[in-house]
Amino acid sequence: MSVAESTRAVVLDPAGYQFPENQRRLIRWTLYIGYFALAAGVAHGFAQGLSYANIDVLRYFPGLRDYYQGLTAHGVANALFFTFTFSNAFLPLLTARALGRPMITGFLHATLWTLVAANITVIWAVTTGRATVLFTAYAPLQAHWAYYLGLVLLVVSTYIASAHLYVMLARWRKEHPGERIPLLAFISVISYVMWDLASVGIAVSFIGFLLPWSLGILERTDPLLNRTLFWFTGHAIVYAWLLPAYISWYALVPRQTNGKLVSDPLTRVVFIMFLLLSIPTGFHHQYTDPGISTNLKMFHAVLTFGVFYPSLATAFSVVAAMEIGGRRNGGGGLLGWIRKLRWDDPSFTAQVLAMITFVLGGITGLINASYLVNQIVHNTAWIPGHFHMTVGSAVALTLMGVAYWIIPYLTDRKLWGRKFAVAQSWIYTIGVLIMARGLISGGLEGMPRRTFRVAANYGRDSWELAGALTGIGGTLMTVGAVMFFIVIVMTIVAGKKGEGPKDIPFAETLIPASRDGWDAKLDRLRLWTIAAVVLVLIAYAPFFITYLPARLISPGYNFF
Amino acid sequence: MRVHQYEKAFLWLGAIMLVAFMIALLVTSVAMGIHLPGRAGEVDPLSINSIEPFNNPGVREVGPGRYEVVLLGSAWSWNPSEIRVPAGSEVTFLAASTDVIHGLHIDRTRVNMMLIPGQISRNTYRFERPGEHLLICHEYCGAGHHLMSGKVIVE
């Protein structure tokens, strides 16, 4: 293998690399925790969709019959546990593969067992009705301390996984001085650098305020400060969910359809932009909040438009990469290449449908960020309409698509029910589009989110169709999700042994990494991290300087 | 860095589009005078019932065609729960929470504010046409959240 060839791949050693079985098993079980969480979350999502259609199925549920208790479970399980368990498994695996070295087993154990502890603690608090405060946990609604502790443990598990990435990268750099970091490792590591920085907000809020307050050490707390700290993390957290999906779109999906990643340096630039701009945008979730200056809100609006930019660049890159594949597969004409993509591969199909849905998710997101326009849609059903097309499909469907190769890869079993799995992602996508159509139109007519509609004492005629579409779409999504679980379980128990893929599907690049010029400076992670910290300070210091000290004014309320 | 010409064109187009959107937002906010809620003062949630003007919730005429509505949100009701104003009047809402976080939304208007204990939420809106609006709490505030509603009647 020549040097030129090696720099074209997104990994160091394209020839092949095998992880030891014990490490595959630990990665597998980390992923299973996430699928378990997804199953629990989906069950309640089904009831919520039907509630918008004025149908109450909760009364037939074996547990979690309270709407808001189930809504808490839905948010925590789907948005927090499903996403972060995936990242905790996926990013170390990709980084190690990219660097051509084994993972560190101790870190894998520590990540997994911390996740298990987090799960047990949160499940206990939520199922016993001690934490019906939703996943946003806005004070002064007060949950049992176990809820806050469990979520802190979840964050700790991401820190352990991050440390794992940093140690692997540091060791590799020591052994390969002056070399460019393989692209797949670079984008994996930078994703968790962003998250580590972003998570400072909820870490301070949960450890500094909510946990001592729920334990009775602090008698009162500051609602606005905690809310602001939550949203310091709360927007960047969606990028922490999304970036692993982007990694798959950039570095893996092209290979799955015979294409090539267009540009190594531009991909690095996109991920650096996410590190810089994901965090200093949090006030766009607080446009309608009192106590925050409108100038600062406008500043965050500008930066939010900025963080839309790398996603725009991604839209071009990933489509161009697929076009290369479609044309190599024999597709001609302006659009003929689309038919020649690997639509028979469930892993590919799920991820392309995720990308298509994300176009609508991105556009609605830009509308939310549009300052005054936010007053029309804030906290209406429009918002869950939007984010089910981002985290609920761009992320969820991509994670399902990845499962269709990673579970066979980790178990060395053939994927069960290939055609069934292809149908799964179509059904889920059609479901999410119908549901989002319902929620979005209802939201524009004032239908609120986070509300047990079946039992509400108010309503509008115009919400009827919107609610019905939400119920129909939600039901289809549930069917799609159940089909996903069937494929995964059947693969694990009945997939043909010894017929799994032998390596991860990494792509090659059209424009490779260069060793010299400013291109090589892109790898200076420390420099980019410092720049990100400075930007965060500029964006948030004006608030904290004029607001602090904390106003400890609110006792805890247990209204559930 | 080598960038394909189509990609370059796409990136420029995207940048121009985002800047144009931003300018449109600035124009509506600055030139047309439409505002988000901002800093409007603080009030202790536990003694709010004895603090001006929240000790006297309701609708007041403060000038010709201009009204002030002092509104309290508590789990799970609005005080007052029915607001009547004449069509064409400019209404300033001064709202606050007595307990947990609530959300104040008057449907089919841009009156949409969070109520955060300790903070005063303020915004102004002109009700042009007669009709009935829902006054909705749109932030989860406990087991009876879906029962927290009222009416705004424009006469």
Side-chain angles (χ1 to χ4, degrees):
Chain A
M1 175 186 41
S2 73
V3 176
E5 257 178 316
S6 74
T7 52
R8 283 205 177 272
V10 297
V11 299
L12 183 70
D13 182 9
Y17 184 83
Q18 295 281 331
F19 289 104
E21 170 56 21
N22 70 322
Q23 297 197 337
R24 286 166 177 255
R25 191 169 56 235
L26 288 165
I27 292 287
R28 226 153 55 210
W29 278 98
T30 308
L31 286 171
Y32 294 164
I33 291 179
Y35 301 151
F36 168 74
L38 182 67
V42 162
H44 213 277
F46 174 60
Q48 287 156 36
L50 289 180
S51 163
Y52 278 107
N54 272 326
I55 300 165
D56 181 10
V57 292
L58 280 171
R59 65 180 92 176
Y60 307 114
F61 269 45
L64 293 177
R65 281 194 200 141
D66 179 85
Y67 184 83
Y68 301 108
Q69 188 189 13
L71 190 56
T72 305
H74 182 73
V76 170
N78 287 359
L80 300 179
F81 277 99
F82 174 50
T83 51
F84 280 116
T85 50
F86 179 82
S87 302
N88 280 348
F90 194 53
L91 300 181
L93 182 83
L94 294 190
T95 305
R97 176 62 192 86
L99 301 175
R101 58 190 302 136
M103 288 173 280
I104 303 163
T105 308
F107 275 111
L108 291 178
H109 272 292
T111 309
L112 176 63
W113 294 112
T114 311
L115 269 174
V116 170
N119 253 288
I120 292 170
T121 325
V122 170
I123 289 172
W124 176 78
V126 172
T127 54
T128 56
R130 287 174 167 90
T132 306
V133 296
L134 309 191
F135 93 97
T136 42
Y138 292 142
L141 279 175
Q142 190 183 53
H144 191 278
W145 58 263
Y147 181 69
Y148 304 115
L149 179 69
L151 293 180
V152 166
L153 286 173
L154 173 65
V155 174
V156 168
S157 80
T158 65
Y159 290 165
I160 297 169
S162 309
H164 187 183
L165 301 182
Y166 305 152
V167 170
M168 281 195 286
L169 182 65
R171 286 185 186 172
W172 180 86
R173 273 187 146 171
K174 207 179 239 174
E175 291 159 17
H176 300 80
E179 273 187 49
R180 296 297 307 273
I181 303 170
L183 180 65
L184 187 57
F186 181 83
I187 59 181
S188 300
V189 171
I190 206 166
S191 298
Y192 255 177
V193 174
M194 189 283 292
W195 163 246
D196 290 340
L197 186 57
S199 61
V200 170
I202 53 166
V204 171
S205 169
F206 277 48
I207 298 169
F209 293 97
L210 302 182
L211 201 49
W213 175 61
S214 63
L215 284 164
I217 299 166
L218 275 179
E219 202 185 319
R220 298 190 180 174
T221 197
D222 183 334
L224 179 61
L225 182 63
N226 276 293
R227 192 174 149 86
T228 303
L229 289 169
F230 181 87
W231 286 115
F232 176 101
T233 302
H235 188 67
I237 205 173
V238 308
Y239 291 107
W241 305 332
L242 187 64
L243 291 183
Y246 271 19
I247 291 170
S248 177
W249 296 358
Y250 268 105
L252 310 179
V253 168
R255 165 74 167 269
Q256 293 178 297
T257 196
N258 201 22
K260 279 185 180 190
L261 193 163
V262 177
S263 166
D264 175 304
L266 204 57
T267 307
R268 287 180 210 248
V269 169
V270 162
F271 278 78
I272 290 167
M273 284 183 81
F274 278 117
L275 169 63
L276 296 177
L277 292 172
S278 293
I279 308 165
T281 58
F283 282 137
H284 78 252
H285 287 258
Q286 295 178 279
Y287 283 150
T288 67
D289 278 18
I292 299 163
S293 94
T294 48
N295 293 334
L296 208 48
K297 289 175 180 176
M298 179 52 99
F299 181 49
H300 279 229
V302 173
L303 289 173
T304 308
F305 274 60
V307 76
F308 189 76
Y309 199 64
S311 281
L312 215 64
T314 300
F316 187 96
S317 294
V318 299
V319 175
M322 290 192 292
E323 183 179 345
I324 294 169
R327 295 199 185 282
R328 279 167 70 178
N329 295 342
L334 191 61
L335 297 171
W337 56 271
I338 295 173
R339 281 194 302 116
K340 295 286 182 183
L341 298 174
R342 294 280 156 78
W343 296 103
D344 60 325
D345 175 357
S347 176
F348 173 79
T349 303
Q351 297 190 65
V352 174
L353 294 175
M355 294 172 196
I356 293 169
T357 316
F358 193 50
V359 173
L360 299 170
I363 291 169
T364 49
L366 201 62
I367 293 169
N368 299 339
S370 294
Y371 200 62
L372 297 171
V373 182
N374 185 264
Q375 294 182 109
I376 308 296
V377 296
H378 176 74
N379 264 4
T380 68
W382 163 290
I383 302 298
H386 152 71
F387 68 64
H388 280 87
M389 294 193 292
T390 57
V391 63
S393 47
V395 176
L397 263 176
T398 299
L399 270 46
M400 290 176 184
V402 168
Y404 290 150
W405 67 258
I406 206 169
I407 295 301
Y409 165 71
L410 292 169
T411 54
D412 196 17
R413 286 176 184 274
K414 193 179 172 189
L415 185 76
W416 179 91
R418 206 176 151 87
K419 282 187 177 153
F420 186 76
V422 170
Q424 180 275 327
S425 50
W426 282 102
I427 289 170
Y428 188 92
T429 304
I430 293 165
V432 85
L433 291 176
I434 294 173
M435 187 185 77
R437 165 63 172 76
L439 287 170
I440 278 174
S441 61
L444 290 174
E445 294 284 342
M447 184 164 81
R449 68 184 284 206
R450 295 185 151 180
T451 300
F452 189 26
R453 177 148 185 251
V454 177
N457 62 359
Y458 58 90
R460 286 262 183 214
D461 291 343
S462 59
W463 300 356
E464 293 300 321
L465 175 65
L469 289 172
T470 306
I472 293 166
T475 306
L476 276 175
M477 285 171 79
T478 311
V479 171
V482 169
M483 289 170 74
F484 168 73
F485 295 122
I486 292 172
V487 175
I488 295 304
V489 171
M490 289 306 287
T491 300
I492 295 166
V493 300
K496 271 190 204 142
K497 195 76 189 145
E499 291 188 26
K502 301 301 169 216
D503 203 347
I504 70 169
F506 55 85
E508 289 191 341
T509 54
L510 206 59
I511 301 173
S514 155
R515 269 172 199 279
D516 37 50
W518 70 270
D519 201 302
K521 290 193 174 59
L522 293 175
D523 286 4
R524 297 179 65 177
L525 279 167
R526 198 161 298 161
L527 185 75
W528 299 121
T529 309
I530 292 167
V533 171
V534 170
L535 256 178
V536 168
L537 287 176
I538 292 171
Y540 269 99
F543 173 79
F544 287 112
I545 288 170
T546 55
Y547 183 81
L548 289 175
R551 291 133 173 79
L552 299 178
I553 51 171
S554 286
Y557 292 91
N558 185 329
F559 285 160
F560 42 86
Chain B
M1 185 166 56
R2 207 145 59 76
V3 180
H4 193 281
Q5 53 174 345
Y6 285 168
E7 188 155 22
K8 238 178 220 166
F10 180 86
L11 290 175
W12 272 109
L13 200 71
I16 291 166
M17 187 182 77
L18 288 176
V19 170
F21 289 169
M22 227 36 252
I23 291 170
L25 291 173
L26 275 169
V27 168
T28 46
S29 180
V30 178
M32 293 168 68
I34 303 171
H35 297 292
L36 287 174
R39 285 194 158 165
E42 301 185 12
V43 58
D44 178 36
L46 299 185
S47 49
I48 192 166
N49 290 318
S50 58
I51 296 171
E52 286 273 342
F54 297 101
N55 55 355
N56 190 16
V59 186
R60 257 181 298 281
E61 189 168 3
V62 291
R66 285 171 53 233
Y67 291 81
E68 185 180 270
V69 175
V70 175
L71 189 59
L72 283 180
S74 314
W76 298 292
S77 63
W78 294 107
N79 181 17
S81 64
E82 193 178 295
I83 295 164
R84 287 177 182 271
V85 290
S89 53
E90 190 183 87
V91 183
T92 297
F93 291 88
L94 273 175
S97 163
T98 65
D99 42 42
V100 296
I101 292 183
H102 298 283
L104 164 64
H105 187 206
I106 299 173
D107 78 330
R108 302 175 195 196
T109 73
R110 56 170 186 80
V111 181
N112 189 336
M113 304 188 280
M114 298 306 295
L115 266 51
I116 299 175
Q119 298 289 333
I120 298 170
S121 306
R122 186 176 63 201
N123 213 345
T124 302
Y125 182 75
R126 184 184 291 278
F127 289 89
E128 300 285 2
R129 278 186 294 273
E132 204 175 292
H133 298 270
L134 294 172
L135 175 62
I136 301 168
C137 174
H138 67 21
E139 184 55 79
Y140 169 67
C141 57
H145 162 57
H146 47 273
L147 304 175
M148 187 167 167
S149 71
K151 275 178 189 163
V152 177
I153 297 159
V154 185
E155 294 170 320

